[in-house]
Amino acid sequence: MFSLPEHIKKVHVYEPGKPEDELKRELELKEIVKLASNENPLGPSPAAVRAIIEDLKNLNRYPDGNSYYLKKALAEHLNVEIENIFVGLGSNEALDIISRAYLRPGKNAVYSEKSFAVYPIVVQLAGAEHKVVKAKDNYYMDLKAHLDAIDENTAVVFLANPNNPTGTAFTRKEFEEFLKEFPNDVLLVLDEAYYEYAVGAGFDIENGVEYIHEKNIVVTRTFSKIYGLAGLRLGYAVAKKEIIEDMNRIRQPFNVTRPAQVGGVAALEDKMFIKHSQVVNEEGKKYLYEQFEKLGLEYVPTYANFILVKVGFPSREVFNRLLKKGVIVRAMDGYGFPDHIRVTIGTMKENIFFINKLKEVLEELRG
């Protein structure tokens, strides 16, 4: 009788939410504001949309299996060589391939307890051991603790900067001090999915790409956030040529679609859209901070496009009540924050709608 290996049986299956139109029908709502997945509320890059529409006539053709023009555009954008670029189905595919390449039973990976939910999944799928580091003061990445956790069986260390779901970030100086002590025989995965938002906030964040030749570092980024292309599932990794070659041995042929490749090239050139997205995010952040303070709610200052806020009531209860009022946020009980929610920073109209509904929910719960 065939069966799954035990380490795969233990993987938590991702539970997707229902489509917005179905929720509207079920809950009899005219409007739903989705602030749960850290998407760009402005929509996709207009330049990307135009480029994709123009290329739709070629959908009968397979995509370029090497994503040459996208890699070329990324190499120019990042000031690296084409051989330093891997592109895939969001940064998630890169994280999965890295784990399959370098992790196996008997090896372990180090990551923070309050970080991206994909890390434990890809480690589990590889059959490796988990070394989970406690967060500093419950919200912050403890770089020293990551170093202390490394042992002779550690193959990979995952760091997210900015971190999801807390929105916290460590500085360039902190990263460089960490890197001095990081061993040469361990792979460091630097997840920078929200990098552009931290730059827009004026934060002194490291640019991980600048360090790929100093140690064994893979930087992962995505087009799903500030570029507004989450529906295309497009991301990339940057590393030494030898690491990229290893990753390409594992990836599937034609893993990136034509629309994703064309849209990605155009999005990189759409500098005005990126700047506008950064400005809107900062304005929304300021408004939400002010409103949370008026409501007496604690929040974690963020360098991403979402905010983790302590609502003082069970996370799932607040989530369900907001959902019935037409607002989708993310319940954080599964991340070890039983009385927090994570809310994406939306347009000002969406932010105001969310705050009004949150006020109603808190009044109901406070009686």
Side-chain angles (χ1 to χ4, degrees):
M1 183 68 177
F2 64 89
S3 64
L4 281 174
E6 287 301 315
H7 68 275
I8 295 181
K9 284 183 180 179
K10 295 177 182 177
V11 173
H12 177 72
V13 178
Y14 176 75
E15 299 177 9
K18 291 183 179 179
E20 290 174 49
D21 286 343
E22 179 63 14
L23 284 172
K24 284 182 184 178
R25 186 191 67 77
E26 285 186 7
L27 301 173
E28 298 181 345
L29 295 168
K30 292 182 179 179
E31 180 181 8
I32 283 185
V33 171
K34 186 186 177 191
L35 300 174
S37 300
N38 307 337
E39 299 148 331
N40 189 329
L42 300 179
S45 155
V49 172
R50 290 192 295 269
I52 291 167
I53 291 172
E54 174 62 27
D55 193 62
L56 287 178
K57 60 183 179 291
N58 296 313
L59 282 183
N60 61 312
R61 303 296 183 188
Y62 281 103
D64 170 16
N66 192 39
S67 301
Y68 173 78
Y69 290 110
L70 177 56
K71 286 183 180 178
K72 183 174 183 291
L74 281 165
E76 292 173 357
H77 176 69
L78 299 167
N79 194 29
V80 296
E81 301 299 319
I82 289 178
E83 291 77 14
N84 298 125
I85 303 289
F86 169 92
V87 294
L89 296 168
S91 54
N92 276 28
E93 185 183 26
L95 295 170
D96 178 47
I97 285 178
I98 289 164
S99 297
R100 286 195 279 152
Y102 301 112
L103 291 173
R104 60 189 62 86
K107 295 293 184 179
N108 68 62
V110 176
Y111 57 88
S112 176
E113 62 172 342
K114 303 291 177 65
S115 197
F116 190 29
V118 165
Y119 306 153
I121 293 173
V122 295
V123 172
Q124 189 78 39
L125 287 171
E129 299 298 318
H130 307 255
K131 297 201 76 175
V132 185
V133 172
K134 285 191 69 66
K136 184 166 58 179
D137 298 328
N138 203 37
Y139 300 119
Y140 299 91
M141 193 77 65
D142 192 331
L143 297 183
K144 184 179 184 304
H146 282 72
L147 290 171
D148 292 343
I150 295 171
D151 63 24
E152 67 275 8
N153 294 318
T154 301
V156 179
V157 173
F158 293 95
L159 288 179
N161 200 34
N163 183 46
N164 176 21
T166 61
T168 57
F170 46 85
T171 65
R172 176 187 296 269
K173 182 179 179 182
E174 289 171 323
F175 177 70
E176 290 181 346
E177 290 299 314
F178 165 85
L179 209 56
K180 288 177 184 177
E181 299 183 47
F182 193 81
N184 292 321
D185 60 348
V186 175
L187 184 70
L188 174 61
V189 179
L190 193 55
D191 181 352
E192 296 184 345
Y194 299 93
Y195 172 79
E196 293 86 0
Y197 283 110
V199 171
F203 184 72
D204 184 27
I205 191 171
E206 91 295 331
N207 176 356
V209 176
E210 296 175 358
Y211 301 87
I212 62 170
H213 295 293
E214 292 189 22
K215 300 275 185 172
N216 291 313
I217 297 176
V218 181
V219 178
T220 61
R221 292 186 187 170
T222 183
F223 284 85
S224 296
K225 304 307 177 184
I226 205 164
Y227 293 103
L229 301 181
L232 290 181
R233 303 306 300 124
L234 179 61
Y236 61 95
V238 192
K240 295 175 182 175
K241 176 184 176 182
E242 295 77 13
I243 295 173
I244 297 301
E245 287 176 348
D246 288 347
M247 294 177 68
N248 279 324
R249 294 178 196 278
I250 298 173
R251 75 171 177 88
Q252 293 293 314
F254 310 118
N255 63 325
V256 180
T257 66
R258 286 190 69 101
Q261 291 183 35
V262 170
V265 171
L268 284 173
E269 298 172 354
D270 199 350
K271 303 292 195 297
M272 288 184 63
F273 178 74
I274 300 306
K275 182 62 179 176
H276 183 45
S277 298
Q278 291 169 332
V279 169
V280 168
N281 193 65
E282 289 305 299
E283 290 174 347
K285 184 194 303 185
K286 181 181 177 182
Y287 168 78
L288 290 173
Y289 283 177
E290 291 172 349
Q291 296 303 311
F292 292 149
E293 288 164 11
K294 288 179 181 178
L295 290 169
L297 301 179
E298 296 178 21
Y299 61 86
V300 183
T302 184
Y303 296 99
N305 68 331
F306 57 84
I307 304 174
L308 182 68
V309 55
K310 185 175 183 179
V311 288
F313 295 96
S315 177
R316 192 64 52 175
E317 177 71 14
V318 175
F319 164 82
N320 286 327
R321 287 177 180 254
L322 282 171
L323 182 59
K324 291 175 182 178
K325 295 177 182 291
V327 181
I328 309 175
V329 296
R330 182 59 58 91
M332 285 286 104
D333 48 340
Y335 280 85
F337 295 114
D339 56 355
H340 291 63
I341 59 172
R342 190 194 67 194
V343 57
T344 305
I345 300 168
T347 63
M348 194 56 70
K349 179 182 177 182
E350 290 172 333
N351 295 332
I352 292 170
F353 187 83
F354 158 68
I355 287 296
N356 287 337
K357 298 305 177 183
L358 180 61
K359 287 177 181 177
E360 292 177 11
V361 168
L362 294 177
E363 287 173 3
E364 292 167 3
L365 291 169
R366 288 166 178 165

